[in-house]
């Protein structure tokens, strides 16, 4: 009898573990907005998805950029999302050969416009919608700096430009540090939008459990926008690989509207006021630089004095020759 109970307990544990691994047993997966292996369908291309730039499809991953300079790549869902409350689980890997210098990063999009290259991690600036940005390189050395890789959110109605020199700190809604680069396993981030609440979580350590990154209330997003992922490299580079995109329609509780609303503009109630871009002040000179500049000035002064004296003596000699 004890052996039977032990077997039942073991099977129950396996069932619970399996449900936990799925993360969303009550939610309905939207296959038209999802991308899983095997990627290819009948014929060429991937059903419901378009590719842009340097994107390359393999049997194990979709590589947006290789570990080469000046690359841009993206994948975009062909079908607009009509679901009001959704969750997207993005599984990815970012890897490279260098230890300290790498970049630039990637972004997950829920945006009005699709399939357009641009300066915001491989997609267009002045976008309308939501961007979840995974920035791997720090451009910002000022008072708002943070460690990288860094995961942050930006909501835009098409009127605000992303400031690369400040790593978007003037327009980000929230963020957290996630050291996902060169992990042996894939990293998963969950972007959950429910009842005008945006929640971003991650599974960095492959524990099949979410760790919170940030939650923002009062985020209003229209229905009918497109999901996408883009990546870019500049002078520094990395491999940016998408493993899977799983999109779920949430089983929302009573009181949370499920109606479409395609006629509103994206907005966030608590977004910081946009600030004008200001160039960094020139760095102050070190003591060594000052010493060498003073030394060069003194040497220049000595040279000028010596040349002046030589010219003066030459003129004096010429004057005496004419006198005699």
């Amino acid at each position: 009898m004890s052996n039977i109970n032990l077997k039942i307990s073991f099977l129950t544990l396996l069932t619970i573990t399996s449900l936990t691994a799925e993360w969303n047993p009550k939610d309905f997966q939207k296959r038209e907005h999802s991308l899983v292996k095997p990627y290819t369908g009948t014929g060429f291309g991937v059903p419901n998805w378009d590719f842009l730039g340097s994107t390359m499809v393999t049997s194990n991953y979709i590589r947006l950029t290789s570990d080469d300079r000046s690359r841009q790549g993206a994948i975009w869902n062909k079908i607009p999302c009509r679901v009001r409350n959704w969750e997207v689980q993005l599984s990815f890997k970012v890897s490279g050969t260098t230890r300290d210098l790498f970049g630039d990063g990637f972004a997950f999009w829920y945006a009005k416009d699709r399939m357009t290259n641009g300066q915001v991690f491989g997609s267009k600036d002045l976008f309308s919608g939501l961007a979840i940005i995974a920035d791997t390189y720090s451009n910002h050395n000022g008072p708002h700096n943070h460690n990288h890789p860094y995961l942050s959110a930006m909501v835009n109605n098409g009127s605000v430009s992303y400031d690369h020199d400040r790593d978007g700190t003037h327009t980000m809604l929230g963020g957290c540090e996630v050291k996902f680069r060169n992990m042996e396993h894939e990293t998963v981030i969950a972007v959950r939008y429910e009842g005008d609440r945006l929640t971003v979580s991650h599974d960095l350590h492959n524990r099949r459990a979410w760790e919170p990154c940030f939650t923002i209330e009062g985020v209003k997003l229209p229905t009918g926008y497109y999901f996408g992922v883009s990546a870019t490299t500049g002078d520094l580079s990395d491999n940016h690989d998408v493993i899977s995109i799983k999109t779920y329609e949430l089983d929302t509780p009573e009181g949370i509207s499920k109606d479409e609303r395609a006629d509103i503009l994206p907005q966030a109630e608590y977004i910081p006021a946009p600030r004008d871009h200001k160039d960094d002040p020139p760095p102050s000179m070190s003591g060594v630089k000052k010493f060498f500049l003073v030394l060069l000035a003194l040497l220049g002064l000595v040279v000028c004095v010596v040349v002046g004296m030589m010219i003066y003596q030459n003129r004096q000699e010429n004057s005496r020759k004419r006198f005699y």
Side-chain angles (χ1 to χ4, degrees), residues 135-138 144-151 176-179:
D135 190 353
T136 56
Y137 179 73
S138 176
H144 301 287
N145 64 326
H146 43 246
N147 294 324
H148 287 70
Y150 195 78
L151 200 63
C176 68
E177 183 181 328
V178 187
K179 298 290 188 180

Side-chain angles (χ1 to χ4, degrees), residues 73 104-107 109 118-123 133-135 162 164 230-232:
D104 284 330
F106 70 92
W109 300 93
Q119 299 303 312
V120 183
F121 296 91
S123 192
I133 297 171
D135 190 353
Y162 179 83
H164 274 283
S230 66
T232 188

